[in-house]
DNA sequence: ATGCTTGCAAACTCTTTGCACACCA
DNA sequence: TGGTGTGCAAAGAGTTTGCAAGCAT
């Protein structure tokens, strides 16, 4: 954990380690509030302000991402910085991560063949809206 | 304009007509604030609260969409309810609409062939992050 | 005339900021 | 030790809510 922070050029403080661990443990796309709660479960002396500042630093150095969310009125963070897609259930407002290398290949291929004008794509993320079926 | 509102099951009030017009005029993905400014340019007596309420109604009946945005700390709306994708410039934080029927077909095809487990997709939106080149 | 809409202002939520103290390198 | 990070509380931005008055049907 310390290593990851050091590698990212951040001081390995107690709080940052806790917050990074919490991010990795929490499923889905936690809000700052949820990260804070998770951190507090172990160490009840970390302030919410610090969580915000720390998450911002993490985003800045690429340790996490902010994820887009049309419904939420708050920011969500994602510790999984690998490329992946999202299933969005319009009933439950749930966001589920979805990985599919075949899909990735298909999309990359498409843009490799017929490029975009004036735009160099770096990463792709497909948002799939729909409903859960059981 | 009245027709569109009536068809959506909303009363055609002066304010709603103005707000709908403003949405159609404004480029990109305006915030509630931007819509309000646009409305005020014509009729300086519409309150921001009404803009919020109205935009919510519009989203509810499908006249507009909320668009996801990882950076913004405010909600953005999109009057273009047809299926389209987004180019996101990581330099300028700009979001550009992008349409490509071929791409749509490719994606629909992919999921038609090998469906998702426990999920019925309704719409797809590809977020393409990258940088502008000139 | 009835009931949905509006305007206003206050309340609320989420996030940021300023500053003194604490801690890592 | 020096400079960065933290906690706290207050401020800020964006959004929602409650209610009396207004308007579309």
């Amino acid at each position: 954990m310390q290593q990851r922070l050091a590698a990212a050029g951040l001081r390995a403080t107690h709080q940052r380690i806790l917050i990074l661990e919490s991010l990795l443990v929490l499923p889905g796309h936690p809000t700052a509030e949820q990260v804070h709660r998770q951190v507090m479960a172990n160490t009840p002396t970390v302030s919410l302000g610090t969580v915000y500042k720390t998450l911002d630093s993490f985003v800045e150095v690429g340790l996490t991402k902010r994820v887009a969310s049309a419904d939420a009125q708050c920011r969500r963070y994602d510790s999984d910085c690998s490329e992946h897609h999202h299933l969005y259930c319009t009933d439950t407002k749930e966001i589920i991560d979805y990985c599919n290398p075949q899909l990735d290949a298909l999309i990359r291929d498409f843009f490799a063949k017929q490029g975009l004008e004036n735009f160099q794509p770096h990463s792709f993320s497909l948002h799939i809206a729909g409903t859960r079926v059981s």
Side-chain angles (χ1 to χ4, degrees), chain A residues 87-108:
Chain A
L87 300 176
Y88 173 63
C89 179
T90 49
D91 286 344
T92 63
K93 316 288 186 203
E94 203 178 350
I95 301 172
I96 307 150
D97 281 350
Y98 172 69
C99 281
N100 187 328
Q102 282 182 60
L103 178 62
D104 297 344
L106 190 78
I107 295 171
R108 291 207 166 273

Side-chain angles (χ1 to χ4, degrees), chain A residues 11-100:
Chain A
R11 278 197 192 170
T13 66
H14 188 205
Q15 289 87 337
R16 295 223 253 237
I17 293 167
L18 281 167
I19 291 168
L20 187 49
E21 281 172 350
S22 299
L23 259 181
L24 297 175
V25 165
L26 285 166
H29 305 103
T31 62
E33 194 85 42
Q34 288 173 321
V35 173
H36 186 227
R37 257 203 300 281
Q38 174 68 25
V39 168
M40 295 287 270
N42 295 315
T43 309
T45 54
V46 178
S47 78
L48 181 57
T50 297
V51 172
Y52 274 107
K53 286 177 196 167
T54 303
L55 287 174
D56 277 355
S57 321
F58 285 3
V59 169
E60 215 164 307
V61 300
L63 237 36
T64 65
K65 279 181 185 168
R66 285 208 189 122
V67 299
S69 162
D71 280 280
Q73 57 223 303
C74 56
R75 291 184 177 170
R76 292 181 173 279
Y77 295 86
D78 191 346
S79 55
D80 182 2
C81 283
S82 63
E83 201 152 299
H84 63 275
H85 309 285
H86 292 119
L87 300 176
Y88 173 63
C89 179
T90 49
D91 286 344
T92 63
K93 316 288 186 203
E94 203 178 350
I95 301 172
I96 307 150
D97 281 350
Y98 172 69
C99 281
N100 187 328

